[in-house]
C-alpha cells in the first residue's frame, strides 16, 4: 500500500476538522463540560475554531473544576494564573468552583471579587487559605447553597461565620483523615454546625472527632437534616436511643464503619495505638502538627508562567515551557 501523499494527508486533516465542526452545538458543549479547566485551557480549545469559540463563551465557565489534577508537581502550568483566567472568562456568571491544593487568600479574593453569585464552593487540601481569608470571603457569598471543606484546617470560628453569613446553606461537607489512634475527642466543630447551620439538609463529617454529644447537638440543631455521613467518625457509638433518634430523623445515614468504596478520596485509617501511651488525651489537631506538616503551595513553584495577555489564542500549548 502506497504511503499517503502530502495532498491526501492535508485533505484528511481538513475532513477531520470539518467533522468536528459539524457536531451539533449542544453535543459539543456536553463534551467540553466533561473536561476540567486545565484540559480546556491547555488543549480542548485548540481542536478547531468551533471549539475555540465555545471555550471562550461565559456559559462554559459557570462551573470551574480544578481538582484531582494528578501529581501537582508534574504539571507545567501556573495553576493560580490559569484559575484567574478561567474566572475572567466566566464574566461574572460563575456558579460553582472547586480548587485543590493551590488556592491562596489572594486567589480566593480574586474569585469572589468577580463572582458574587457562587452557589457551590469546594476547597480540597487548601492549606494556604487562612481562617481570616475564608471568613472574609464567605461574608461576600450570601447565595452559597453548598460548601465543601475537604482536608483543610479551619477553626470553629470559620464554621460559625459560614452559618451566620450563608442563610441558604443546604449542604456542608467537612472531611478529614480518619483516626482510630491517637484517640482525640472534640465536639467544637459539631457544636458550631449545630448552632449556626439550622437549614442543612445534607451533612458529611468523614473522619471527624465528634462524640455522641456532638451528634445529639447536630440532631437537635439541624432539624431539616435528611442525609448524614459519619464514616470513620470512630468516637460516635450508635446504639439504643441514639440510633433510634437517627433512624426517625435521618433518611440516609452512613455509619462510622460503613464501606468507603464510593468515597472519592484516600480512606486509609490512621491507627497508631502507641501514640495514646505517649501523649495525653484531649490534645488538639494543632498540637499534632510540626513545622514540617504545613505545606505552602503559593510560593516557590516550578510552574511555568501563564499570562493570557501574552499568548496568541490561535497557537496551541502556550501553557508549556
Amino acid at each position: 500500500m502506497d504511503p499517503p501523499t502530502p495532498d491526501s494527508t492535508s485533505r484528511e486533516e481538513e475532513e477531520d476538522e470539518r467533522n468536528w465542526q459539524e457536531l451539533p452545538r449542544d453535543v459539543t458543549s456536553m463534551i467540553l463540560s466533561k473536561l476540567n479547566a486545565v484540559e480546556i485551557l491547555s488543549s480542548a480549545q485548540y481542536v478547531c475554531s468551533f471549539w475555540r469559540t465555545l471555550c471562550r463563551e461565559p456559559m462554559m465557565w459557570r462551573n470551574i473544576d480544578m481538582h484531582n489534577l494528578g501529581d501537582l508537581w508534574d504539571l507545567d502550568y501556573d495553576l493560580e494564573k490559569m484559575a484567574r483566567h478561567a474566572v475572567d472568562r466566566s464574566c461574572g456568571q460563575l456558579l460553582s468552583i472547586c480548587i485543590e491544593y493551590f488556592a491562596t487568600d489572594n486567589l480566593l479574593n480574586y474569585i469572589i471579587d468577580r463572582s458574587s453569585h457562587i452557589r457551590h464552593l469546594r476547597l480540597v487540601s487548601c492549606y494556604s487559605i487562612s481562617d481570616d481569608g475564608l471568613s472574609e470571603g464567605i461574608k461576600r457569598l450570601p447565595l452559597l447553597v453548598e460548601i465543601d471543606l475537604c482536608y483543610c484546617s479551619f477553626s470553629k470560628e470559620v464554621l460559625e461565620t459560614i452559618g451566620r453569613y450563608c442563610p441558604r446553606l443546604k449542604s456542608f461537607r467537612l472531611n478529614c483523615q480518619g483516626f482510630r489512634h491517637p484517640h482525640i475527642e472534640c465536639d467544637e466543630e459539631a457544636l458550631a454546625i449545630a448552632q449556626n447551620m439550622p437549614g442543612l439538609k445534607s451533612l458529611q463529617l468523614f473522619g471527624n472527632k465528634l462524640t455522641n454529644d456532638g451528634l445529639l447537638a447536630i440532631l437537635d440543631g439541624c432539624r431539616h437534616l435528611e442525609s448524614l455521613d459519619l464514616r470513620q467518625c470512630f468516637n460516635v457509638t450508635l446504639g439504643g436511643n441514639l440510633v433510634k433518634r437517627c433512624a426517625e430523623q435521618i433518611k440516609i445515614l452512613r455509619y462510622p464503619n460503613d464501606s468507603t468504596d464510593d468515597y472519592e478520596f484516600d480512606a486509609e485509617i490512621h491507627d497508631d495505638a502507641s501514640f495514646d501511651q505517649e501523649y495525653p488525651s484531649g490534645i488538639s489537631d494543632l498540637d499534632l502538627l510540626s513545622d514540617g506538616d504545613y505545606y505552602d503551595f503559593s510560593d516557590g513553584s516550578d510552574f511555568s508562567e501563564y499570562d493570557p495577555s501574552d499568548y496568541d489564542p490561535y497557537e496551541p500549548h502556550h501553557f508549556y515551557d
Side-chain angles (χ1 to χ4, degrees):
M1 182 176 180
D2 295 332
T5 64
D7 287 343
S8 65
T9 301
S10 178
R11 285 194 299 272
E12 290 173 359
E13 291 175 350
E14 291 177 359
E15 183 177 350
D16 287 342
E17 182 171 346
R18 284 198 304 271
N19 289 338
W20 284 117
Q21 296 188 21
E22 288 171 2
L23 283 174
R25 188 181 187 87
D26 58 340
V27 173
T28 306
S29 296
M30 183 180 65
I31 292 172
L32 293 173
S33 69
K34 304 296 183 182
L35 305 178
N36 63 46
V38 173
E39 291 169 330
I40 293 175
L41 290 174
S42 62
S43 11
Q45 67 176 345
Y46 302 113
V47 168
C48 64
S49 60
F50 178 44
W51 280 37
R52 183 162 54 246
T53 299
L54 283 180
C55 289
R56 301 180 77 85
E57 292 185 353
M59 287 290 291
M60 187 58 61
W61 301 96
R62 298 183 73 181
N63 302 292
I64 295 176
D65 180 9
M66 297 191 72
H67 91 293
N68 196 24
L69 301 177
D71 190 339
L72 187 69
W73 304 112
D74 286 342
L75 297 177
D76 294 324
Y77 319 128
D78 186 320
L79 296 175
E80 183 166 344
K81 288 187 176 181
M82 294 184 81
R84 290 172 184 250
H85 186 47
V87 170
D88 290 343
R89 285 195 175 186
S90 73
C91 297
Q93 298 185 32
L94 181 62
L95 297 179
S96 172
I97 186 164
C98 176
I99 297 179
E100 184 171 1
Y101 291 117
F102 65 90
T104 62
D105 285 351
N106 287 337
L107 176 58
L108 184 62
N109 189 60
Y110 186 92
I111 293 168
I112 296 172
D113 278 346
R114 292 153 180 80
S115 315
S116 59
H117 301 294
I118 295 178
R119 304 293 200 275
H120 182 193
L121 175 65
R122 190 180 199 210
L123 303 175
V124 181
S125 301
C126 292
Y127 297 108
S128 292
I129 293 181
S130 66
D131 280 5
D132 288 343
L134 182 57
S135 292
E136 291 305 312
I138 287 295
K139 292 177 182 179
R140 294 186 287 146
L141 295 174
L143 300 181
L144 278 171
V145 177
E146 299 181 52
I147 301 178
D148 302 341
L149 303 178
C150 302
Y151 302 97
C152 298
S153 180
F154 296 112
S155 67
K156 67 180 180 67
E157 286 77 19
V158 173
L159 307 190
E160 293 169 352
T161 299
I162 291 173
R164 287 196 298 268
Y165 287 89
C166 302
R168 302 188 183 190
L169 191 65
K170 301 300 180 186
S171 175
F172 185 53
R173 300 175 72 191
L174 185 67
N175 297 346
C176 61
Q177 200 78 38
F179 282 82
R180 291 190 188 276
H181 299 92
H183 182 76
I184 303 171
E185 296 181 355
C186 182
D187 284 318
E188 284 188 348
E189 294 169 341
L191 293 176
I193 293 169
Q195 295 166 6
N196 296 279
M197 303 181 188
L200 284 183
K201 290 188 175 181
S202 176
L203 176 62
Q204 185 175 69
L205 293 174
F206 196 100
N208 199 270
K209 298 176 180 64
L210 83 163
T211 68
N212 285 11
D213 291 338
L215 175 57
L216 279 171
I218 288 173
L219 294 175
D220 288 336
C222 304
R223 292 288 183 170
H224 302 286
L225 202 60
E226 299 176 355
S227 175
L228 178 61
D229 190 343
L230 296 172
R231 282 177 293 176
Q232 296 194 6
C233 295
F234 297 120
N235 296 330
V236 172
T237 304
L238 287 174
N241 291 331
L242 182 56
V243 73
K244 180 181 178 182
R245 171 82 181 275
C246 288
E248 292 173 349
Q249 186 171 338
I250 308 298
K251 294 180 180 179
I252 302 174
L253 178 63
R254 305 297 295 271
Y255 288 73
N257 290 304
D258 276 358
S259 171
T260 59
D261 289 346
D262 61 345
Y263 186 62
E264 63 183 303
F265 300 112
D266 177 17
E268 180 184 359
I269 299 172
H270 287 245
D271 194 357
D272 185 2
S274 64
F275 194 97
D276 288 338
Q277 301 172 2
E278 298 176 13
Y279 295 90
S281 62
I283 58 178
S284 69
D285 289 345
L286 291 178
D287 294 327
L288 299 177
L289 292 176
S290 66
D291 292 339
D293 293 322
Y294 182 86
Y295 296 93
D296 187 348
F297 293 96
S298 60
D299 297 317
S301 75
D302 294 325
F303 302 146
S304 60
E305 291 293 321
Y306 165 59
D307 186 347
S309 65
D310 292 340
Y311 79 94
D312 177 359
Y314 296 97
E315 290 295 330
H317 308 303
H318 286 272
F319 305 115
Y320 293 97
D321 286 329

